Amino acid sequence: MSSQYKVIVGMGSCGIAAGAKKVYDSLQDTLNDGSAKLVIGGCMGMCFAEPLVEVAADGKRVIYGRLTSENAAEIIAKHIKTGQPVIESVIWSEGLDSADANYFNKQQRILLKNCGVVDPESIDSYMSHDGYKALEKALKTMTPEQVIKEVEISGLRGRGGGGFPTHIKWTLAGKSAGPDKYIICNADEGDPGAFMDRSVLESDPHRVMEGMLLAGYAIGASEGYFYARAEYPLAIKRLRMAIEQANQKGYLGKNILGTGFNFQLFIREGAGAFVCGEETALIMSIEGKRGMPRTRPPFPAEKGLWGKPTNINNVETYANVPAIIFHGGAYFAQYGTESSKGTKVFALAGKIARGGLIEVPMGITLNNVVFDIGGGLQGGGKLKAVQTGGPSGGCIPAELCDTPIDYDSLKKIGAIMGSGGLLIMDESACMVDVAKFFLTFTQDESCGKCTFCRAGTKQMLRILERISEGKGKSGDIELLEDLATKIVQGSLCGLGQSAPNPVLTTIKYFRHEYEAHINDKICPAKKCKAFISYEIDADKCKSCSKCAKGCPTKAITGAKKEPYVIDKAACIRCGLCMSACKFDAVLVTTGSGRGE
Amino acid sequence: MSQHESVNNGNSFPEIKEIVTKVSVNKTPAMMILQAIQFTYGYVAPEMLERVTELTGIPSSTLYSIVTFYAQFRLEPIGDNLIQVCHGTACHLAGAERITESMVMETGAQAGKTSEDRLFTVDKVACLGCCSMGPVITLNGEVHGYVTPEKVQKVIKERRECCVANGCKDHDHTAGKEATVSE
Ligand SMILES: Cc1cc2nc3c(=O)[nH]c(=O)nc-3n(C[C@H](O)[C@H](O)[C@H](O)COP(=O)(O)O)c2cc1C
Ligand code: FES
């Protein structure tokens, strides 16, 4: 008897960007003979090997990767015909020893269990994976207090960056006087370089909604809002579908599951302001105003949206709740460390060999993540630093990457857990440039309310710019440190309070790089334009003229059979010639070896 | 008030009336109205704000405070093709600067601006959420990963040729919003 094959195409934004839609179309043509059921799935988390297709039968999963619209149909058809995996193209399958198997095997996927497995556009698919069972359990067998108690036992802390214990917020909001209370899901994900929330919303939207429903039941709210980044159109689209389907099935609306509990969900799109990820600014923005943070207390749990008690949590925080209620808080708490329980989702990006969306128990080390799961650095490069927490976080040097990933250990070394972006840097990253990058961002995104944040970040940026332009002075580093302390003290919200972190950690761990820029006029990573020169290695140049054609200032000249030459006076050091050259003939130099 | 009327005569931007009617059922419609206008017209012009004030009574100062605060709102129309170059952290490390430089060179549009021939608008944005595939750009809403200056040359040339040959205007800049999969 032939088993029923299910073929799942990973259709998160990353997958689609890598060509998943074309792969889907090609499979549709091949599989229309009924040999398998073709469905879409969300993000399987292996961005490094997109597009991905899973072939599932009898509970056995085989995931293929790096497919193209040309070879996908053939590989999948062969598998189905022979009943055997096409080993060369397998990225992961249980018990199979593929080159990339560790990427999956070393993870602990609880929250991401459904990602890439369920069809994000179908509530039935979610329900067939225990979907809305936790809600049913809570509504029918638990009191709101018992729900909060279970969350307390789990030890869940907010995944949006702050790490505040979730049950405390819920208790406070629960005790605030009703009847009008609100639930907000913070899906603003402003940290550039992080994509956990996007992937979860695109891949398993009902799980987040179920978490919000449970929160609503726990605190006594009957309305919830998603505040989602406008840059995430696919996530918003799938949320819309999910809300509609949940309304049809009676998981949203009036008298849910006949229990008398009412709840409705709405979506509000952000409009491109990082500060609106801060909870009080976010609330202002939902209210349709400029998103400016205000002082707390009163906390949103007392006085939030439209002045009513409001519970606000991050996407991932809510997404953890259904499993906590379904399996019990102790199930979640068995993972992780004493103070940081459970698992955490990370977005692994930068110069990593295997980047993507991962979930690991708290307490494993950064090195575990980078080398065991991520497979080391791209092109066999050397690890220089890991950046956590985005613009509010810090750069952790390679020497400290045996630090366990938990809230307190990361704090101790000057970084933060943040929301889950992990950026891996190799020797090509210049730490002054990285600091300048983040400061440019925070300076631009400061809402302007606090003087220190508004003017102070600008001053810090000016100093960093000066250093990277070769005009750094002795005393600049100390000045940066001094300003940093004052901005932290003089800012009302987390944006200003944490904006200096990337500068402070890079000074702390890479002070020599700052000194090289200031004193020796060298950029060791050969990044800062003021300190580098491009030249063409005459021996390697094949006179193909590609570099000259791509040069915006026409600074490169040459002739057939003669090596090309860069006019250094006209060169703006954009590096386009280096990208264009197929023969590695364009060299970049800094310091004394640098010919003027 | 009379000034408003002279600008609009109540007839220009007919879609705004629909938008206002549709969105006003919400508790705090100002921002959603403006977002819907931007979605419909691709930008928000001062006359459109006046029309909203006329229809809803929301003071134009409130509307201005919103459109100038949020980066998403544009006050000028965009070119026929909208390009977003991601300058998030991952893309920065992956060489986004070079991508923008070559984009500027190929399209003739400075970052944040529209080219003189009005074919291209090039924007720098922070993180499109496909960070493992940096550098990332979107072209009329479609996401492209692992972009190189060479790929930039190629896609811009294709777009330019297509738009010039067919006179195609108004690409669906929001293609991503409707990225539906055939079932
Ligand atoms: C400048 C700034 C940006 C923030 N951005 C986000 C964000 O994008 N997503 C998020 O969940 N929390 C963000 N936060 C944290 C929120 O203020 C809030 O703490 C969080 O949504 C609470 O949810 P949690 O307890 O589940 O973590 C940001 C905070 C600050 C100060
Ligand atoms: S940093 Fe470019 S997509 Fe995230």
Side-chain angles (χ1 to χ4, degrees):
Chain A
M1 202 178 76
S2 79
S3 50
Q4 178 57 45
Y5 282 101
K6 195 156 130 188
V7 174
I8 308 171
V9 182
M11 291 272 218
S13 317
C14 296
I16 294 173
K21 233 168 144 183
K22 284 197 193 121
V23 167
Y24 182 93
D25 291 341
S26 76
L27 290 176
Q28 207 166 29
D29 294 342
T30 314
L31 300 178
N32 66 7
D33 57 1
S35 56
K37 189 166 166 234
L38 181 63
V39 290
I40 69 162
C43 170
M44 301 186 195
M46 295 180 280
C47 302
F48 67 93
E50 296 278 6
L52 297 155
V53 174
E54 173 180 328
V55 179
D58 303 329
K60 191 171 161 61
R61 306 174 60 193
V62 180
I63 300 179
Y64 292 98
R66 305 191 181 90
L67 297 175
T68 63
S69 53
E70 285 89 41
N71 70 11
E74 193 185 326
I75 292 169
I76 305 302
K78 192 167 160 196
H79 178 148
I80 289 169
K81 200 163 149 218
T82 62
Q84 293 301 321
V86 182
I87 302 288
E88 318 81 79
S89 303
V90 174
I91 301 289
W92 182 86
S93 179
E94 210 181 319
L96 204 86
D97 196 19
S98 68
D100 295 315
N102 271 348
Y103 182 82
F104 239 59
N105 293 342
K106 301 265 170 174
Q107 294 188 44
Q108 184 67 49
R109 291 167 77 95
I110 301 171
L111 189 151
L112 298 181
K113 188 168 77 84
N114 282 353
C115 287
V117 176
V118 300
D119 176 348
E121 302 188 356
S122 153
I123 190 170
D124 291 326
S125 179
Y126 179 65
M127 286 166 65
S128 67
H129 287 80
D130 295 334
Y132 290 113
K133 291 250 172 73
L135 179 71
E136 192 169 348
K137 178 176 170 185
L139 292 185
K140 292 189 173 159
T141 69
M142 297 167 83
T143 63
E145 292 73 27
Q146 283 171 324
V147 171
I148 297 180
K149 186 73 202 163
E150 234 26 82
V151 173
E152 179 178 356
I153 295 170
S154 76
L156 177 64
R157 293 171 65 172
R159 300 300 197 228
F164 193 79
T166 304
H167 73 96
I168 298 183
K169 270 192 194 176
W170 289 21
T171 307
L172 198 60
K175 285 196 180 129
S176 297
D180 292 335
K181 297 186 191 180
Y182 298 100
I183 294 290
I184 296 177
C185 176
N186 189 338
D188 200 39
E189 195 158 61
D191 168 5
F195 51 90
M196 302 77 52
D197 297 349
R198 169 185 71 72
S199 300
V200 172
L201 289 173
E202 282 177 3
S203 309
D204 201 8
H206 287 285
R207 179 180 295 267
V208 185
M209 286 161 50
E210 188 173 359
M212 291 173 77
L213 275 152
L214 287 163
Y217 177 64
I219 72 156
S222 54
E223 252 181 50
Y225 286 84
F226 276 99
Y227 186 83
R229 262 187 112 207
E231 287 87 342
Y232 289 174
L234 186 62
I236 292 171
K237 180 194 140 202
R238 289 193 174 150
L239 265 180
R240 281 223 170 88
M241 291 175 82
I243 290 173
E244 201 181 301
Q245 292 174 356
N247 267 303
Q248 279 162 8
K249 290 264 184 211
Y251 289 112
L252 283 176
K254 292 242 171 320
N255 192 19
I256 294 169
L257 299 174
T259 61
F261 174 58
N262 307 325
F263 199 78
Q264 196 47 270
L265 276 173
F266 304 93
I267 301 174
R268 286 291 181 276
E269 287 183 40
F274 173 65
V275 75
C276 286
E278 196 280 336
E279 54 191 30
T280 58
L282 187 152
I283 288 171
M284 297 272 273
S285 185
I286 295 187
E287 291 174 357
K289 306 175 193 143
R290 287 167 86 106
M292 311 266 258
R294 62 158 174 80
T295 37
R296 297 168 302 178
F299 289 94
E302 303 146 318
K303 225 168 172 267
L305 190 55
W306 294 301
K308 306 288 185 204
T310 302
N311 179 68
I312 172 162
N313 279 122
N314 166 261
V315 170
E316 198 186 324
T317 312
Y318 285 123
N320 272 310
V321 176
I324 289 171
I325 298 303
F326 188 65
H327 298 290
Y331 166 80
F332 184 83
Q334 69 175 304
Y335 300 101
T337 67
E338 194 43 45
S339 65
S340 306
K341 300 265 186 244
T343 56
K344 173 82 191 84
V345 179
F346 288 100
L348 197 53
K351 297 281 176 189
I352 186 86
R354 294 193 290 248
L357 191 72
I358 61 165
E359 181 177 358
V360 294
M362 295 269 200
I364 82 166
T365 68
L366 287 164
N367 275 329
N368 289 150
V369 170
V370 174
F371 294 99
D372 300 347
I373 295 173
L377 276 78
Q378 249 169 39
K382 190 163 165 271
L383 178 65
K384 180 170 184 176
V386 176
Q387 212 279 344
T388 68
S392 325
C395 281
I396 303 166
E399 311 87 83
L400 290 180
C401 282
D402 51 3
T403 305
I405 302 179
D406 64 65
Y407 291 101
D408 310 307
S409 305
L410 290 173
K411 207 163 173 185
K412 233 179 259 160
I413 56 173
I416 57 165
M417 168 86 70
S419 56
L422 282 184
L423 271 145
I424 314 303
M425 303 183 195
D426 65 5
E427 299 285 339
S428 71
C430 164
M431 290 300 145
V432 177
D433 178 69
V434 168
K436 192 176 81 176
F437 169 82
F438 282 121
L439 247 282
T440 310
F441 181 83
T442 37
Q443 183 270 135
D444 197 37
E445 295 292 343
S446 167
C447 78
K449 188 164 176 172
C450 308
T451 315
F452 274 95
C453 177
R454 181 184 67 241
T457 52
K458 194 161 255 156
Q459 288 309 323
M460 281 183 85
L461 177 60
R462 249 186 225 154
I463 298 169
L464 287 167
E465 277 171 353
R466 173 160 100 208
I467 295 174
S468 74
E469 281 161 11
K471 297 175 202 140
K473 300 185 284 223
S474 74
D476 273 354
I477 300 180
E478 292 72 19
L479 198 53
L480 282 172
E481 289 172 326
D482 181 44
L483 271 168
T485 327
K486 294 193 169 125
I487 293 170
V488 172
Q489 288 165 353
S491 300
L492 180 114
C493 89
L495 193 151
Q497 288 162 4
S498 63
N501 280 351
V503 182
L504 289 174
T505 50
T506 46
I507 292 179
K508 183 168 175 194
Y509 297 117
F510 299 93
R511 196 180 185 102
H512 54 278
E513 258 183 64
Y514 281 82
E515 287 165 352
H517 282 75
I518 296 170
N519 303 330
D520 312 331
K521 310 292 171 203
I522 289 175
C523 174
K526 300 177 192 166
K527 197 108 197 170
C528 299
K529 287 179 181 177
F531 304 113
I532 56 170
S533 296
Y534 285 94
E535 39 192 298
I536 294 174
D537 182 341
D539 294 335
K540 285 190 178 164
C541 178
K542 300 268 191 281
S543 314
C544 72
S545 82
K546 273 233 157 81
C547 56
K549 280 195 192 121
C551 178
T553 57
K554 306 269 172 281
I556 309 181
T557 47
K560 253 189 200 154
K561 301 213 173 154
E562 265 176 50
Y564 277 61
V565 182
I566 302 177
D567 172 4
K568 292 208 175 99
C571 174
I572 54 165
R573 302 177 200 107
C574 65
L576 287 179
C577 50
M578 201 171 186
S579 304
C581 183
K582 294 268 177 289
F583 309 103
D584 291 331
V586 180
L587 309 175
V588 54
T589 53
T590 185
S592 53
R594 177 180 163 216
E596 269 305 325
Chain B
M1 209 58 208
S2 63
Q3 224 180 354
H4 297 150
E5 272 148 33
S6 68
V7 174
N8 291 313
N9 288 327
N11 296 326
S12 37
F13 313 118
E15 291 88 349
I16 292 183
K17 190 159 190 183
E18 276 169 50
I19 290 171
V20 166
T21 318
K22 227 165 143 186
V23 174
S24 291
V25 296
N26 289 289
K27 276 185 206 159
T28 44
M31 187 143 146
M32 293 175 84
I33 291 172
L34 295 172
Q35 283 175 322
I37 290 177
Q38 160 111 358
F39 185 79
T40 308
Y41 297 98
Y43 72 112
V44 187
E47 305 83 58
M48 301 181 192
L49 296 184
E50 312 239 313
R51 181 84 183 113
V52 174
T53 301
E54 224 172 69
L55 290 166
T56 62
I58 302 171
S60 57
S61 60
T62 304
L63 300 175
Y64 269 105
S65 81
I66 296 171
V67 293
T68 52
F69 182 81
Y70 294 100
Q72 187 195 31
F73 294 109
R74 306 163 177 285
L75 303 175
E76 284 167 23
I78 40 174
D80 298 340
N81 295 279
L82 175 63
I83 293 152
Q84 297 175 303
V85 183
C86 176
H87 280 253
T89 322
C91 292
H92 177 76
L93 289 174
E97 207 55 56
R98 271 186 206 177
I99 301 305
T100 297
E101 304 228 19
S102 75
M103 212 42 109
V104 168
M105 181 168 161
E106 297 302 323
T107 61
Q110 289 303 313
K113 297 268 184 315
T114 300
S115 59
E116 242 164 60
D117 57 14
R118 303 214 59 81
L119 281 179
F120 299 99
T121 299
V122 176
D123 267 352
K124 284 168 136 186
V125 298
C127 195
L128 295 159
C130 295
C131 321
S132 313
M133 305 179 129
V136 176
I137 63 163
T138 69
L139 172 62
N140 299 328
E142 200 175 284
V143 183
H144 298 256
Y146 307 114
V147 179
T148 59
E150 223 170 5
K151 269 199 209 165
V152 169
Q153 281 176 8
K154 196 169 148 254
V155 294
I156 298 304
K157 187 159 169 261
E158 276 170 18
R159 294 276 16 110
R160 186 184 296 281
E161 279 166 7
C162 169
C163 291
V164 170
N166 309 326
C168 49
K169 294 221 176 276
D170 288 340
H171 291 278
D172 186 4
H173 300 300
T174 50
K177 298 227 176 206
E178 300 304 330
T180 344
V181 175
S182 47
E183 295 283 298

